[in-house]
């Protein structure tokens, strides 16, 4: 087989692989009604089936909107990785921001808000219903309920651990990202503060920029200079073997055809895998959309800057009122606290829990027992963990001195307060992201942010493990390591989802049943 045939077959093979990996995707530019129907068909079930928190949500979004699952993808792998890094680098609920951004890129701003409502509504209704029931229960729950909640927590730990491993497979591409994932997870384990996680995210991005854009460039320049100095030294010319020449030819002469053949051979790939490597880059550039194209649903840069400035004006006004006023109505204080929490929280649901405890338990709005009960339930609820604010808002109004205010008002105010900052900043940042993403420094920065954020997911596994075991004597939660059975449940949910493709909701329910079985055996 000739070299040209190898190259052609390699090109066809690689093109086929890339076409299989990169299915055609494009934004929906139809009328508003058609776009709303489109996003409804693809996202209506997410609010009911996305269990396990942000780490699991990211994997579900990848399968649904990048792989397509037999349908047209909404975004490509590169855009997904960029949005994942952005959702971690900006404050607010990580998975909610990512879903909102995907829907906005595909169908526009109004359909994105529609997807947000579909995403949050089921879990919000469930948490509000929980608040109505918690008001009527005793201070101590029955032992089977504690066992059920502990089993659910153990199963969720296994699923989040699996999500962390799967995200790491995509984020760890070289030694630098391996180091950043390791250091990000270890650093978040050792210390926890409001300002700490944003600083780690920033440092991870800066380290990636320094390594990719400064140190590696310097090293390559140094290597090039060394090669040039070495090439200046005269080398011995290899003696051409004199073979018997055909009639009328000078010994040692090389045919022009042979010369062309040698030239092609010296420059050509040595194997089919090398052919695939070279042709992959060519085809990749052909199939990738041009970065100069303006997305049909993009927001102008000027409008985006205005949106960002308006946010900081509102945030400054709210914080000034928070410090200046001594007596503030409970509902206003509730919105203020939730707005502040949604602004300064990086990393999503696992990070928001300890901060919200300071904002609602310390003022006396929610009792410690009610807070921990809601915390255990939200881990088993589908949708965003920020729906925990719905429960806390309703419980705040229920314990207030104004019984005439419906608890639903508190739930709505708390939900608006905690979700608004992240979406507000995201909408403004999406407009300036288009020109920024063309710069190599920005892509390197997001690579570092992405790796550190994956490290935070491993931290979330440990933190939930340490408070997952609930009992009447330990209603604040203790380590699941107190009983080996919970490790069995966690590893079982990990294995079932990873190797046997059991849906995460089923694995969580089985974990709850396993908790009840543990209680039944222990009391028999």
């Amino acid at each position: 087989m000739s070299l040209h045939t190898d190259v052609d077959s390699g090109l066809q093979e690689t093109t086929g692989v890339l076409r299989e990996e990169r299915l055609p995707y494009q934004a929906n530019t139809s009328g508003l009604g058609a776009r709303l129907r489109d996003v409804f068909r693809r996202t209506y079930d997410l609010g009911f089936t996305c269990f396990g928190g942000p780490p699991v949500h990211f994997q579900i979004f990848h399968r649904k909107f990048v792989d397509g699952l037999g349908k047209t993808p909404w975004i490509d792998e590169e855009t997904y990785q960029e949005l994942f890094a952005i959702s971690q680098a900006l404050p607010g609920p990580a998975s909610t921001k990512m879903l909102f951004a995907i829907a906005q890129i595909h169908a526009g701003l109004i359909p994105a808000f529609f997807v947000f409502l579909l995403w949050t509504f089921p879990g919000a209704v469930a948490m509000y219903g929980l608040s109505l029931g918690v008001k009527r229960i005793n201070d101590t729950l029955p032992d089977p309920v504690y066992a059920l909640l502990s089993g659910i927590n153990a199963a969720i730990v296994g699923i989040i651990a699996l999500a962390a491993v799967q995200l790491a497979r995509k984020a760890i591409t070289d030694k630098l990202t391996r180091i950043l994932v390791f250091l990000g997870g270890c650093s978040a384990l050792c210390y926890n503060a409001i300002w700490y996680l944003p600083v780690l995210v920033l440092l991870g991005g800066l380290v990636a920029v320094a390594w990719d854009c400064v140190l590696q460039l310097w090293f390559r320049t140094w290597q090039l200079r060394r090669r040039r100095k070495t090439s200046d030294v005269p080398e011995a010319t290899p003696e051409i073997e004199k073979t018997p020449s055909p009639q009328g030819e000078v010994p040692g002469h090389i045919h022009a055809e042979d010369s062309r053949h040698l030239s092609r051979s010296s420059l050509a790939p040595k194997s089919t895998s090398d052919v695939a490597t070279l042709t992959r880059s060519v085809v990749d550039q052909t199939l990738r959309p041009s970065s100069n194209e303006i997305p049909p649903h993009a927001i102008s840069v000027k409008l985006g800057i205005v949106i960002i400035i308006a946010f900081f004006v509102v945030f400054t006004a709210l914080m000034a009122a928070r410090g200046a006023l001594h007596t503030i109505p409970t509902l206003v204080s509730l919105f203020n606290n939730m707005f502040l929490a949604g602004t300064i929280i990086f990393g999503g649901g696992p990070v928001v829990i300890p901060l919200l405890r300071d904002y609602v338990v310390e003022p006396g709005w929610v009792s410690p027992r009610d807070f921990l009960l809601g915390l255990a339930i939200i881990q088993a609820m589908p949708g965003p963990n920020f729906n925990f604010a719905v429960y806390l808002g309703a419980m705040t109004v229920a314990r207030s001195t104004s019984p005439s205010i419906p608890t639903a008002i508190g739930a709505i105010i708390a939900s608006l307060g905690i979700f608004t900052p992240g979406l507000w900043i995201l909408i403004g940042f999406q407009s300036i992201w288009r020109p920024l993403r063309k710069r190599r420094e920005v892509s390197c920065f997001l690579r570092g942010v992405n790796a550190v954020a994956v490290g935070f997911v491993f931290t979330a596994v440990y933190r939930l493990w340490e408070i997952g075991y609930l009992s009447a004597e330990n209603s604040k939660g203790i380590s699941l390591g107190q009983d080996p059975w919970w490790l069995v449940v966690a590893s079982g949910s990990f294995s079932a989802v990873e190797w046997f493709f059991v849906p995460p909701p089923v694995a969580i329910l089985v974990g709850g049943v396993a908790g009840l079985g543990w209680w039944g055996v222990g009391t028999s």
Side-chain angles (χ1 to χ4, degrees):
M1 184 184 297
S2 65
L3 176 65
H4 295 295
T5 306
D6 289 338
V7 174
D8 292 340
S9 61
L11 179 60
Q12 292 173 0
E13 178 183 356
T14 307
T15 306
V17 172
L18 285 178
R19 282 174 181 169
E20 182 179 355
E21 294 176 354
R22 293 177 176 270
L23 295 175
Y25 64 94
Q26 59 182 356
N28 189 338
T29 56
S30 305
L32 180 59
R35 283 182 283 144
L36 291 175
R37 290 191 296 271
D38 179 24
V39 298
F40 177 81
R41 287 192 295 266
R42 294 288 288 272
T43 62
Y44 76 92
D45 60 329
L46 292 178
F48 297 95
T49 60
C50 284
F51 294 84
V56 183
H57 299 164
F58 291 134
Q59 294 300 310
I60 295 174
F61 295 163
H62 187 279
R63 293 196 300 268
K64 199 173 189 69
F65 303 118
V66 179
D67 298 338
L69 299 178
K71 300 179 182 179
T72 303
W74 280 9
I75 57 174
D76 62 346
E77 180 66 33
E78 180 183 6
T79 304
Y80 174 86
Q81 294 297 334
E82 291 174 353
L83 292 179
F84 175 76
I86 291 173
S87 65
Q88 301 291 340
L90 296 179
S95 57
T96 301
K97 288 181 298 182
M98 190 167 189
L99 179 61
F100 186 92
I102 292 173
Q104 180 185 350
I105 291 173
H106 176 71
L109 197 57
I110 296 178
F113 277 110
F114 181 58
V115 170
F116 167 75
L117 293 176
L118 295 175
W119 166 246
T120 58
F121 186 73
V125 171
M127 293 306 295
Y128 179 70
L130 175 65
S131 70
L132 298 179
V134 168
K135 293 190 303 182
R136 296 174 171 84
I137 64 176
N138 298 324
D139 292 338
T140 302
L141 299 175
D143 289 338
V145 176
Y146 287 119
L148 172 68
L149 296 176
S150 298
I152 289 175
N153 284 340
I156 291 175
V157 166
I159 293 175
I160 295 180
L162 173 60
V165 171
Q166 292 174 339
L167 288 173
R169 290 170 184 165
K170 294 182 177 296
I172 298 177
T173 56
D174 56 3
K175 293 181 179 179
L176 175 65
T177 48
R178 292 188 182 98
I179 294 173
L180 290 178
V181 169
F182 174 76
L183 293 180
C186 293
S187 301
L189 282 176
C190 296
Y191 187 69
N192 187 24
I194 294 175
W195 57 269
Y196 186 57
L197 294 184
V199 169
L200 292 180
V201 168
L202 177 63
L203 288 177
L206 293 178
V207 168
V209 171
W211 176 259
D212 292 341
C213 301
V214 179
L215 295 179
Q216 283 195 355
L217 180 61
W218 174 84
F219 181 71
R220 290 173 183 173
T221 304
W222 176 76
Q223 278 188 323
L224 181 60
R225 290 176 179 175
R226 281 196 60 185
R227 290 175 182 174
R228 287 178 178 176
K229 290 180 180 179
T230 306
S231 63
D232 291 339
V233 179
E235 299 179 356
T237 304
E239 184 178 356
I240 301 177
E241 182 181 357
K242 296 183 180 181
T243 57
S245 61
Q247 297 179 356
E249 291 187 2
V250 180
H253 178 72
I254 300 177
H255 282 288
E257 181 179 356
D258 294 337
S259 175
R260 290 192 299 269
H261 174 72
L262 290 175
S263 177
R264 289 199 307 264
S265 301
S266 61
L267 297 176
K270 299 295 186 295
S271 64
T272 305
S273 62
D274 295 332
V275 174
T277 302
L278 291 175
T279 53
R280 179 179 291 272
S281 61
V282 176
V283 177
D284 182 67
Q285 295 295 330
T286 304
L287 296 179
R288 181 178 298 176
S290 174
S291 59
N292 296 325
E293 296 178 359
I294 299 178
H297 302 298
I299 298 174
S300 66
V301 176
K302 292 182 179 180
L303 179 58
I305 294 176
V306 171
I307 292 173
I308 295 175
I309 293 175
F311 169 79
F312 284 105
V313 169
V314 172
F315 178 74
T316 303
L318 288 175
M319 295 306 103
R322 175 190 178 94
L325 300 178
H326 299 286
T327 57
I328 305 176
T330 302
L331 291 180
V332 177
S333 297
L334 175 65
F335 179 83
N336 208 332
N337 284 6
M338 293 299 171
F339 195 91
L340 177 59
T343 303
I344 63 179
I345 288 175
F346 292 77
V351 184
V352 73
I353 303 304
L355 183 64
L356 287 181
R357 190 182 190 281
D358 295 337
Y359 283 1
V360 298
V361 175
E362 294 300 328
W365 298 344
V366 179
S367 68
R369 189 218 64 169
D370 293 345
F371 181 88
L372 290 171
L373 182 59
L375 172 60
I377 297 297
I378 190 62
Q379 304 295 335
M381 286 290 108
N385 286 343
F386 274 50
N387 275 334
F388 191 32
V390 174
Y391 170 82
L392 297 177
M395 295 301 298
T396 298
V397 173
R399 293 174 63 93
S400 67
T401 57
S402 301
S404 60
I405 301 177
T407 56
I409 300 298
I412 294 173
I413 288 177
S415 181
L416 289 176
I418 202 168
F419 278 110
T420 297
L423 297 182
W424 195 338
I425 296 175
L426 176 67
I427 293 171
F429 187 79
Q430 284 249 43
S431 63
I432 63 176
W433 168 244
R434 191 173 64 252
L436 287 179
R437 70 193 296 262
K438 302 175 185 178
R439 300 186 60 86
R440 185 169 182 268
E441 296 84 356
V442 176
S443 62
C444 295
F445 181 83
L446 290 179
R447 191 168 81 95
V449 170
N450 191 6
V452 173
V454 173
F456 291 167
V457 178
F458 287 96
T459 303
V461 176
Y462 171 78
R463 295 197 183 281
L464 182 56
W465 176 267
E466 286 299 300
I467 62 172
Y469 183 18
L470 303 175
S471 64
E473 297 79 16
N474 300 286
S475 58
K476 293 184 179 181
I478 59 176
S479 175
L480 289 166
Q482 297 293 323
D483 194 295
W485 179 246
W486 306 127
L487 178 59
V488 173
V489 175
S491 58
S493 64
F494 182 102
S495 304
V497 177
E498 169 72 358
W499 297 333
F500 301 99
F501 310 105
V502 175
V506 175
I508 293 174
L509 292 177
V510 172
V513 173
L516 291 175
W518 169 85
W519 171 82
V521 172
T523 56
S524 60

